[in-house]
Amino acid sequence: SKFAPHPTCKTYDIDAIEQSFMSTTLYALIEKHPTMRPLNKPSMNDGILNGTYCSSYNHLVRTQGLSIWGQPGGRPVRSKLDGAIKEQINLGTEGLKPEGSALFNITGVRNERIRKMFRLSEEEKKVWLK
């Protein structure tokens, strides 16, 4: 193992905790509604729980050094072009009151749009910024 487990982690069976959470009424209620299912994941970037997801991911963190962003070495490095795109997209929500943001789910829409833009080629990004 590349990294030693945290001392506190040794005291918990995270598979049992994950399975226990999956057997709750709350988990079952959320699973009934497709648009709510992402709430049953550790984060929006994680996969779905399956009873061993957390321990599997923990193993990858220890053996491959994965970060919370799911890749070795930590957060992905963004180019200046990506930073400019994110800034332009964020300008669209500037001055919006919190209740307006919540009403239109601006955060989720904005984040998905930013991720989509980051996947464009450098040339497509330059065209979009013009």
Side-chain angles (χ1 to χ4, degrees):
S1 173
K2 186 175 180 179
F3 299 98
H6 189 279
T8 304
C9 294
K10 288 182 183 181
T11 62
Y12 298 100
D13 179 347
I14 58 175
D15 287 340
I17 294 168
E18 179 178 341
Q19 292 162 15
S20 178
F21 172 67
M22 291 174 69
S23 68
T24 64
T25 303
L26 175 62
Y27 184 89
L29 286 171
I30 291 172
E31 282 298 297
K32 287 182 182 181
H33 302 281
T35 58
M36 299 297 290
R37 285 186 189 141
L39 295 174
N40 275 341
K41 300 190 311 180
S43 80
M44 299 305 273
N45 295 326
D46 279 301
I48 59 170
L49 298 180
N50 60 13
T52 59
Y53 179 83
C54 294
S55 65
S56 299
Y57 194 87
N58 188 32
H59 174 74
L60 293 174
V61 168
R62 285 194 332 272
T63 59
Q64 297 180 19
L66 293 189
S67 69
I68 61 170
W69 292 280
Q71 53 189 285
R75 188 174 195 154
V77 176
R78 298 288 183 208
S79 68
K80 288 183 180 183
L81 200 51
D82 288 339
I85 288 171
K86 185 174 181 179
E87 182 180 324
Q88 290 299 308
I89 291 173
N90 287 338
L91 282 173
T93 60
E94 198 171 273
L96 193 60
K97 293 180 180 179
E99 56 271 18
S101 180
L103 180 63
F104 296 106
N105 187 22
I106 294 298
T107 302
V109 171
R110 184 186 69 224
N111 289 345
E112 181 53 37
R113 187 168 183 199
I114 290 170
R115 281 193 291 273
K116 187 176 180 181
M117 295 299 295
F118 286 165
R119 291 190 289 267
L120 295 176
S121 70
E122 293 296 304
E123 194 56 42
E124 290 172 311
K125 290 175 185 179
K126 289 176 184 175
V127 168
W128 185 86
L129 279 168
K130 287 182 182 181

